Amino acid sequence: MKPEMSKPLILYSKIADDPRVNVWHISLYTFILSLWHESGYQKQIRVSRKQLMKGAHFNSITTYHKCIGKLKELKYIIYLPTYDTYQGSTIELVL
């Protein structure tokens, strides 16, 4: 396995073992990991709230905001929101 391919597995196992997170956090984080993989492991990825909610199977904006905020608070991600739908927010995974 290539070293960069093992990074998502390492990051996933880290959050999966964290008792402070629930299935909603893991769903959102897993989708972020898949976007990171698709980007070729770029340092930062740009994504819209709508795309994140769809990928994580969230129907509630409140749930989305709670989960993204908790991932940021727990330092799993660096999240720089934007209110420009076309530009998208920036997310960086904390390695």
Side-chain angles (χ1 to χ4, degrees), residues 31 47-58 64 85:
F31 185 65
V47 63
S48 70
R49 175 185 49 82
K50 185 176 180 179
Q51 183 182 8
L52 287 171
M53 286 181 64
K54 183 177 179 184
H57 300 277
F58 290 175
Y64 166 78
T85 308

Side-chain angles (χ1 to χ4, degrees), residues 2-65:
K2 293 181 182 179
E4 63 271 358
M5 290 187 71
S6 65
K7 286 180 186 178
L9 295 174
I10 292 166
L11 293 173
Y12 176 79
S13 65
K14 182 179 168 185
I15 196 170
D17 292 336
D18 190 337
R20 300 170 295 175
V21 301
N22 63 34
V23 296
W24 300 109
H25 301 113
I26 291 172
S27 175
L28 180 57
Y29 191 71
T30 302
F31 185 65
I32 292 168
L33 283 175
S34 72
L35 293 173
W36 183 52
H37 172 72
E38 287 176 13
S39 77
Y41 304 106
Q42 292 182 9
K43 184 175 179 170
Q44 297 179 333
I45 56 173
R46 287 204 174 270
V47 63
S48 70
R49 175 185 49 82
K50 185 176 180 179
Q51 183 182 8
L52 287 171
M53 286 181 64
K54 183 177 179 184
H57 300 277
F58 290 175
N59 292 321
S60 165
I61 292 174
T62 303
T63 300
Y64 166 78
H65 283 292

Side-chain angles (χ1 to χ4, degrees), residues 78-92:
I78 297 169
Y79 176 65
L80 304 169
T82 184
Y83 302 99
D84 183 343
T85 308
Y86 300 105
Q87 185 180 5
S89 297
T90 302
I91 296 178
E92 183 177 333

